[in-house]
Amino acid sequence: ARGNFLRTLRPAGIYEKSMAWWIWLTTWFNSMFVEYFGWDNLIYISLTYALGPLAFLILTSFRHYAVYMTSFAFRDPPIAHGYLMRDAKLYKTIALCHFVCRLL
């Protein structure tokens, strides 16, 4: 990784420029993924999906309430507001998708 990084500081040829672009693109994608979704949420959602449809429905539908309760109940250490809102919005969206799928 460090060798690729050092080669992309001052790219000379097409290969180095494409590697610089690729490193920038993957870094940007990773930061956007963490900002809007999060690796821990990916693991949780994947594991609940692997448990089956009923477990997925139960464990993801009410998760946003658990996120609210745990963050408001335990104020020490201070919570990161961005992560709180990211997780709450993500699980609320999943809960609403479950609700719409059940209605249709």
Side-chain angles (χ1 to χ4, degrees):
R2 179 156 171 77
N4 285 338
F5 173 73
L6 291 176
R7 276 186 264 151
T8 59
L9 288 177
R10 292 185 191 94
I14 294 173
Y15 177 74
E16 285 85 9
K17 288 182 182 180
S18 64
M19 287 302 293
W21 177 254
W22 180 252
I23 289 173
W24 179 84
L25 187 66
T26 55
T27 303
W28 177 82
F29 177 75
N30 187 41
S31 68
M32 291 294 111
F33 182 79
V34 169
E35 182 177 349
Y36 291 110
F37 199 78
W39 292 107
D40 52 344
N41 292 328
L42 175 69
I43 292 170
Y44 180 81
I45 292 169
S46 300
L47 288 176
T48 57
Y49 186 77
L51 291 175
L54 183 62
F56 181 69
L57 174 70
I58 293 170
L59 292 173
T60 57
S61 291
F62 304 105
R63 173 79 183 208
H64 64 283
Y65 292 124
V67 169
Y68 290 139
M69 287 186 275
T70 55
S71 62
F72 294 143
F74 305 108
R75 298 213 178 226
D76 191 40
I79 57 169
H81 183 71
Y83 290 130
L84 166 70
M85 296 313 298
R86 178 196 70 186
D87 293 348
K89 288 177 186 177
L90 173 68
Y91 290 111
K92 180 71 172 188
T93 303
I94 292 173
L96 290 175
C97 289
H98 285 311
F99 181 68
V100 168
C101 287
R102 300 289 180 221
L103 284 178
L104 299 177

